[in-house]
Amino acid sequence: MDRRLLVACCLALVALAGCSGGAGGPTPTADDATPTATPADGDGEPNETTGLGLSVGAEVEASALLRAHETALANESYVFRSGFGLPSGARERASTVVRADEGLFEIERFQYHPLRGEATALYARDGREYVRFEDGPVTKTVAQPNRTAVPTGRQALVGVESLTVTDTIQRDGERRYVLTAGLDYESADRALPYRRAVVDERGLIHNYTSGEYVPPESERPTEGLLVSRWFDLSNVGATTVAEPDWLTDLRTTDSDGPETTVVDHADLDTRFRVTGTDVDASVERLRNDAVLGSDHVDESRASPLIDLDIAGQVTNATVRVGYDPAALPEGASEQGLAVFVYNESLQTYLPLNTSLDAEANAAVASRGPPVRYSSGGGPEQTLRPTLSDPTADRLVVAVMHAETWYSAFR
């Protein structure tokens, strides 16, 4: 996942013996204290679809089980929950919940970024993730490459070579197989690794628990089953995930480039869109600045003075600012409005190429025409005003009536 999107996962649960992974999470049973011994070896007949030999006593390669599991999940909707164990062995609620439906994944987990705050929504689709942050009137949405694989449980089985079928159970009208590490826990006098999976005929893993079993005979202070990692699946084939409007808008119109951040400020009727690598952006109202605000500016503008800020390797930045037609100077035409940006080198506002949406009373701009100037009698220089310069100390914009602004200097 995005390196800015930090995940707090410190939760633990242990799988209920024979549990299918329903709502509320796995719960411990008496079997957790001393896992049962492994039955005698047996040979299973490989399933024609999965290639797995599922019968009591059969040994199943973890790699083959994972292939069958992910194949079974490929075209299914499902709810996936996972968690980790605490050093104390404490068991808590799931730290990650994923709902999957037709290629759209809705992820619920604690997300925090020191600048953006806590995420209110996180989705993934087609190799990209979409994150939404809210802070009062400001909403920030981010589209970026999905840096964390959508979970299927694969990571929980890393390092496991094989599991042994030790039992069969009936769940949800079907037979399921209990696979374990195949170790004798009843006579153990030392700590042993613990693995337990509940699998259906397709090889779909409905729940999995790993950890360590510490027998009473051990000299360690903590004994019993210590869970290190677990996951479970539920509502397989019966889960629905609806794509919210903000995600559709971001995905279809604003998600080009390596990463896109879009900031909407409701009180300022402003949308600031920045595309690039490791980009961030903010939108605020400019207040009490005698340098950037003046009588000439106030007479010309039809919007608030808006302070923009960007960071990262920016390739493009576009602002959409709402304006008030009633604030136009007397006799001024709405068609004469343009977005202006303050330029620190020239210490004045410069116009940007602007598109007007008269019906929505909004102006959209990104960059302006070249401007030629000289300083102190030196050679003529050319600059092109733009919103995509992250080195600018001040990036202040406003919708102003161009003719009124220019007339102030004649």
Side-chain angles (χ1 to χ4, degrees), residues 170-387:
Q170 289 293 127
R171 284 292 181 273
D172 299 331
E174 67 178 8
R175 179 168 60 175
R176 294 182 184 170
Y177 301 86
V178 179
L179 283 66
T180 70
L183 300 175
D184 183 0
Y185 299 102
E186 292 181 343
S187 59
D189 57 3
R190 59 184 176 84
L192 295 174
Y194 180 83
R195 311 279 186 270
R196 186 177 186 280
V198 176
V199 179
D200 65 19
E201 294 280 0
R202 298 173 295 170
L204 185 66
I205 305 172
H206 288 262
N207 61 61
Y208 177 79
T209 305
S210 65
E212 185 180 35
Y213 173 69
V214 181
E217 292 78 7
S218 171
E219 297 180 356
R220 289 171 52 173
T222 303
E223 63 182 53
L225 181 56
L226 305 181
V227 174
S228 61
R229 196 163 191 170
W230 66 268
F231 72 82
D232 67 30
L233 292 171
S234 60
N235 296 334
V236 177
T239 303
T240 58
V241 180
E243 182 173 293
D245 292 341
W246 67 265
L247 193 158
T248 302
D249 178 55
L250 185 63
R251 181 169 61 86
T252 57
T253 63
D254 286 315
S255 62
D256 59 313
E259 181 178 326
T260 298
T261 295
V262 179
V263 183
D264 286 289
H265 197 304
D267 289 352
L268 298 177
D269 192 13
T270 298
R271 163 173 279 206
F272 188 34
R273 172 181 174 270
V274 179
T275 299
T277 303
D278 294 328
V279 295
D280 196 12
S282 66
V283 176
E284 297 179 359
R285 182 189 297 271
L286 183 71
R287 300 178 185 276
N288 302 323
D289 194 310
V291 175
L292 300 176
S294 66
D295 291 341
H296 297 317
V297 173
D298 291 339
E299 291 170 2
S300 306
R301 65 185 176 91
S303 78
L305 289 170
I306 300 167
D307 195 354
L308 307 177
D309 189 27
I310 55 177
Q313 301 177 32
V314 180
T315 57
N316 188 54
T318 301
V319 69
R320 182 183 187 276
V321 183
Y323 60 83
D324 181 7
L328 283 166
E330 185 177 353
S333 169
E334 189 172 340
Q335 296 304 312
L337 291 173
V339 176
F340 280 69
V341 61
Y342 186 79
N343 182 272
E344 290 184 296
S345 297
L346 301 182
Q347 297 186 359
T348 189
Y349 285 88
L350 299 176
L352 302 178
N353 296 326
T354 303
S355 299
L356 292 179
D357 183 345
E359 184 175 342
N361 294 331
V364 180
S366 178
R367 55 178 58 87
V371 175
R372 294 182 177 85
Y373 71 99
S374 62
S375 178
E380 187 176 81
Q381 302 180 60
T382 301
L383 65 80
R384 188 176 188 184
T386 177
L387 299 177

Side-chain angles (χ1 to χ4, degrees), residues 71 151 221 276:
T71 298

